[in-house]
């Protein structure tokens, strides 16, 4: 008999469990609202840079237990669900107590709604009827089985309403206290526990007396439950309640908005931005912008040289005044591309830092460039010409390496150079006759600190790093940085002074035609800082030069950065002609012929186009340049020889081609490329 009853009970229990599992499978809880949260952009430490509204324009910020002060969930359970850890989602003792009180007093005295039931109601809101209450109880048990107790707390802290468009304790803490909920006072934790009970009726900014009374009741319950002692509760009641709802954090707003626009709604985007540095940069940017009297603005990009992490970003000095990201604007770079022109010439072994260059009046076709100071300085070294940013020597060096080839090499590194649609790269490129973005310019300079390897800025954590593109070799990159460390500093600023210890900074300034754009980019061992100053509408700012306008800001940004831990590699390379104290005879003067010298016995090689490159043809065709060997050279493309002395090859269409060069002794070098026709 006992065995038969046991079997019946077991079968009945099995049937109940099976029915529950089948019902759960047929009618699963809808947890989609937990995933339908705000898009979040976070800094490298996990702090909030900016949150963007979820569906319905609510600010629903997902929150986990590890993100809140432990005092808050303790007060929450004391006020809303004292047996939270004991029941399966529905508390029958609380239900019996509430029913008995209602029958005795003829009105609702206390509720029986558990936190799990509140979560079920937040997930699937329904009219307050008896049938809806029974459904809510079943859903509460079901949801708690799915999420677990910690999951229930996290769901409540994400979905609970706190007034207006605020949902979730993290959004509420920022809005009412101006800080994350990781550290809360007893008064703050009690107010956050009270507000969801009636979020509109208890809004502190509208009904401060009601909010204070509700908070104080939570403090009394917490003291009665032993969460805090009575003295702490009484002291907390003396704290004022907030009377203003503050905006949620808005740091790196231009960057955050761009990232959020490219991500699915509800994405959590963790960046490499250093939160403390970003906040300091924003304060600095606002201060500097307020000093401009002509509606000028600024943009700043800070990169880590080692891995190109974007550590801080300023799209404008004041987001409320200008929401256009000026770091993405294509503007004339002035003289800031000169270091890369010299770097390519150094890399070709067609120039040495000690090579002599004539800084005298010269014509380049119909164009006669002048120096910024309208003077001529006679014969100078390449080092001096770059440090003093002399225009005529830079144009000569660009003519030597070829503007089309220089532009192509830079573009092959992923840098966007913008020319008028009807023009090919020309010699004015050396003086700023091109458009470039501040972010691209920062990437170029950071590449010099990485021995000539160019990478785009790394913005988001977890993204696979791209393969670096080689602009120049390590010797040439180090040579340029060595030269730029001797650049003259702005008045009143000592180059190399840092907050903790001397910091060696190689930097270059630039001023575009008509004083429309002022630039400075600086490179230390660990960091690159790029600064642009100008008017967003491109209007001239007479007298506003990069050296006096942007450079002081760059040095102030460096003072916000930690000390450098890396060391700048020395430019010396044993046996390398580029770093002999005195340039070799072949490089004593800048030679203006179009054959590049090589060291004795240097093999013939093709400098451009590089092997495996995708090359966009220009108006005159694809530039051809070789070094080493013994001129004259004969070029052969796909088996067809080009005319003697050819320096361009005009392809007839897109596709793969093999390019061969042969010198006067029959030595040869070859490369394979893919030709791409320009977009119309």
């Amino acid at each position: 008999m006992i065995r038969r009853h046991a079997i019946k009970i077991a079968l009945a229990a099995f049937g109940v469990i099976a029915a529950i599992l089948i019902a759960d499978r047929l009618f699963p809880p809808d947890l989609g609202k937990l995933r339908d949260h705000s898009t979040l952009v976070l800094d490298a430490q996990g702090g909030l840079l900016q949150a963007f509204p979820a569906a319905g324009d609510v600010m629903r910020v997902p929150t986990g237990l590890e993100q809140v002060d432990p005092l808050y969930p303790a007060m929450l359970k004391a006020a809303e669900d004292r047996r939270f850890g004991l029941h399966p989602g529905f508390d029958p003792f609380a239900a019996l107590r509430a029913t008995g009180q209602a029958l005795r007093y003829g009105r609702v005295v206390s509720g029986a709604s558990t936190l799990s039931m509140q979560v079920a109601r937040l997930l699937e809101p329904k009219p307050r009827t008896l049938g809806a209450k029974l459904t809510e109880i079943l859903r509460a048990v079901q949801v708690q089985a799915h999420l677990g107790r910690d999951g229930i707390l996290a769901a409540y802290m994400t979905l609970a309403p706190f007034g207006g468009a605020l949902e979730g304790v993290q959004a509420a803490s920022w809005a009412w206290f101006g800080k994350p909920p990781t550290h809360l006072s007893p008064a703050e934790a009690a107010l956050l526990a009270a507000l969801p009970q009636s979020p509109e009726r208890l809004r502190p900014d509208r009904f401060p007396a009601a909010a204070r009374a509700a908070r104080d009741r939570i403090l009394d319950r917490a003291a009665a439950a032993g969460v805090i002692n009575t003295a702490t509760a009484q002291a907390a009641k003396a704290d004022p309640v907030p009377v203003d709802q503050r905006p949620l954090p808005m740091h790196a707003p231009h960057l955050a908005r761009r990232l959020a626009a490219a991500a699915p709604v509800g994405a959590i985007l963790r960046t490499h931005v250093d939160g403390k540095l970003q906040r300091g940069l924003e304060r600095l940017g606002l201060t500097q912008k307020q000093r401009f009297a002509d509606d000028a603005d600024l943009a700043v990009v800070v990169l880590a040289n080692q891995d190109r992490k974007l550590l801080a970003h300023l799209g404008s000095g004041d987001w409320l005044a200008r929401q256009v990201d000026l770091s993405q604007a294509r503007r004339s770079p002035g003289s800031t591309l000169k270091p890369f022109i010299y770097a390519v010439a150094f890399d070709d072994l067609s120039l040495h830092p000690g090579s002599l260059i004539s800084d005298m009046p010269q014509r380049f076709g119909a164009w006669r460039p002048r120096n910024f100071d309208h003077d001529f300085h006679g014969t100078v070294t390449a080092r001096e010409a770059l440090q003093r940013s002399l225009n005529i020597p830079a144009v000569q060096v660009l003519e030597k390496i070829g503007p089309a080839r220089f532009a192509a090499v830079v573009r092959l590194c992923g840098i966007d150079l913008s020319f008028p649609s009807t023009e090919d790269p020309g010699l004015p490129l050396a003086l700023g006759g091109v458009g470039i973005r501040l972010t691209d310019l920062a990437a170029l300079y950071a590449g010099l600190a990485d021995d000539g390897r160019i990478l785009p800025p790394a913005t988001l954590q977890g993204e696979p790093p791209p393969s670096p593109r080689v602009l120049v070799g390590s010797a040439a990159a180090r040579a340029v940085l060595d030269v730029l460390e001797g650049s003259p500093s702005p008045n009143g600023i000592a180059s190399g002074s840092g907050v903790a210890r001397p910091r060696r900074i190689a930097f270059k300034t630039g001023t575009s035609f008509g004083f429309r754009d002022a630039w400075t980019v600086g490179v230390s061992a660990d960091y690159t800082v790029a600064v642009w100053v100008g008017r967003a509408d491109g209007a001239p700012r007479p007298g506003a030069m990069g050296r006096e306008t942007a450079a002081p800001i760059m040095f102030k940004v460096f003072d916000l950065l930690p000390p450098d831990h890396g060391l700048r590699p020395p430019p010396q390379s044993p046996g390398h002609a580029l770093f002999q104290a005195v340039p070799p005879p072949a490089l004593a003067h800048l030679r203006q012929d179009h054959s590049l010298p090589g060291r004795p016995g240097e093999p013939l090689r093709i400098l451009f186009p590089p092997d495996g490159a995708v090359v966009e043809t220009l108006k005159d065709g694809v530039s051809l340049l070789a070094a080493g060997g013994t001129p004259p050279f004969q070029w052969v493309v796909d088996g067809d020889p080009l005319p003697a002395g050819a320096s361009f090859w005009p392809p007839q269409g897109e596709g793969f081609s093999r390019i061969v060069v042969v010198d006067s002794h029959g030595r040869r070098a070859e490369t394979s490329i893919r030709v791409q026709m320009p977009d119309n």
Side-chain angles (χ1 to χ4, degrees), residues 260-346:
V265 175
I268 299 179
L269 308 171
R270 189 156 184 166
T271 69
H272 294 294
V273 171
D274 183 290
K276 181 180 179 182
L277 174 63
Q278 179 65 35
R279 294 188 291 273
L281 178 61
E282 289 170 5
R283 290 191 293 269
L284 174 64
L286 184 59
T287 300
Q288 294 298 317
K289 178 175 168 42
Q290 291 172 345
R291 293 178 179 175
F292 300 140
D294 56 353
D295 195 35
D297 214 325
L298 71 158
V300 182
V301 172
V302 182
L303 300 180
N305 294 336
Q306 182 178 9
D307 44 23
R308 309 305 196 280
K309 290 178 181 176
L310 180 62
L311 300 179
H313 177 273
L314 199 66
S316 70
D318 183 359
W319 164 262
L320 296 178
R322 180 164 288 112
Q323 298 178 14
V324 176
D325 188 354
L326 297 172
S327 75
Q328 299 297 301
R330 291 174 176 82
R331 309 294 289 250
S332 166
S335 297
T336 55
L337 288 180
K338 287 178 181 176
F340 305 97
I341 295 171
Y342 282 84
V344 173
F346 290 164

Side-chain angles (χ1 to χ4, degrees), residues 57-104:
D57 286 333
V58 296
M59 199 62 74
R60 184 181 300 130
V61 181
T63 307
L65 278 172
E66 73 283 355
Q67 296 173 288
V68 299
D69 191 309
L71 184 59
Y72 169 72
M75 283 193 174
L76 184 66
K77 287 184 282 188
E80 299 289 343
D81 194 348
R82 286 182 295 172
R83 283 179 287 275
F84 175 73
L86 302 175
H87 61 69
F90 165 66
D91 187 350
F93 297 103
L96 289 173
R97 183 198 69 234
T99 302
Q101 291 174 335
L103 292 173
R104 180 179 180 184

Side-chain angles (χ1 to χ4, degrees), residues 295-653:
D295 195 35
D297 214 325
L298 71 158
V300 182
V301 172
V302 182
L303 300 180
N305 294 336
Q306 182 178 9
D307 44 23
R308 309 305 196 280
K309 290 178 181 176
L310 180 62
L311 300 179
H313 177 273
L314 199 66
S316 70
D318 183 359
W319 164 262
L320 296 178
R322 180 164 288 112
Q323 298 178 14
V324 176
D325 188 354
L326 297 172
S327 75
Q328 299 297 301
R330 291 174 176 82
R331 309 294 289 250
S332 166
S335 297
T336 55
L337 288 180
K338 287 178 181 176
F340 305 97
I341 295 171
Y342 282 84
V344 173
F346 290 164
D347 199 48
D348 289 343
L349 295 182
S350 61
L351 192 69
H352 181 283
S355 298
L356 298 177
I357 308 177
S358 175
D359 181 36
M360 296 297 291
Q362 291 190 50
R363 286 188 180 276
F364 299 86
W367 183 45
R368 187 176 181 180
R370 295 188 300 174
N371 287 319
F372 193 80
D373 59 5
H374 302 287
D375 200 359
F376 302 100
H377 304 274
T379 301
V380 295
T381 64
R383 173 184 291 273
E384 183 182 4
L386 179 54
Q387 288 175 342
R388 298 174 64 178
S389 196
L390 300 179
N391 288 344
I392 297 173
V395 175
Q396 293 180 65
V397 176
L398 181 59
E399 184 187 40
K400 177 72 174 178
I401 64 176
R405 178 207 169 203
F406 175 77
V409 168
V410 172
R411 281 171 162 167
L412 286 172
C413 290
I415 304 300
D416 183 19
L417 297 180
S418 177
F419 294 93
S421 58
T422 58
E423 295 184 13
D424 286 340
L427 294 178
L429 186 158
L431 310 185
V434 65
I436 192 171
R437 301 179 301 180
L438 182 69
T439 49
D440 284 336
L441 197 60
L444 277 174
Y445 275 85
L448 290 178
D450 192 21
D451 285 343
R453 294 175 295 187
I454 310 299
L455 282 168
T459 305
L460 293 174
Q461 296 187 26
E463 289 186 326
S467 300
R469 309 282 185 88
V470 177
L471 177 72
V472 293
S474 60
R478 296 178 187 181
V480 168
L481 290 178
D482 183 63
V483 170
L484 293 181
E485 282 186 359
S487 298
S489 298
N491 295 329
I493 294 180
S495 176
S497 61
V499 291
R501 63 175 184 172
R503 192 195 305 267
R504 295 168 58 194
I505 301 174
F507 72 97
K508 182 72 183 74
T509 64
T511 308
S512 68
F513 178 77
F515 298 96
R516 289 174 169 82
D517 308 278
W519 308 74
T520 300
V521 188
V523 183
S524 69
D526 290 347
Y527 307 105
T528 293
V529 175
V531 178
W532 170 88
V533 177
R535 286 175 56 111
D537 60 5
R541 303 180 66 230
M545 299 179 294
R547 184 172 180 271
E548 305 302 332
T549 303
I553 297 174
M554 180 209 69
F555 282 103
K556 290 176 181 177
V557 175
F558 266 111
D559 283 344
L560 297 175
L561 291 165
D564 289 65
H565 296 291
L567 296 174
R568 177 106 64 212
Q572 290 78 18
S573 180
H576 203 304
L578 186 59
F579 297 113
Q580 294 176 4
V582 178
L587 299 180
H589 294 81
L590 176 66
R591 294 173 16 168
Q592 289 302 302
D593 62 351
H594 295 280
S595 61
L596 296 176
R599 289 176 290 176
E602 183 181 0
L604 177 66
R605 66 189 191 279
I606 295 175
L607 294 175
F608 194 85
D611 189 46
V614 178
V615 180
E616 185 175 288
T617 181
L618 304 173
K619 180 174 61 179
D620 294 327
V622 175
S623 177
L624 304 173
L625 191 64
T630 305
F633 300 132
Q634 174 65 60
W635 293 90
V636 180
V637 180
D638 295 331
D640 295 326
L642 300 183
S647 58
F648 283 90
W649 161 56
Q652 300 304 306

Side-chain angles (χ1 to χ4, degrees), residues 217-239:
R217 285 195 296 271
I218 299 297
L219 288 169
D220 289 338
R221 292 182 188 178
V227 175
I228 55 176
N229 57 45
T230 303
T232 300
Q234 289 303 117
K237 291 180 181 180
D239 289 354

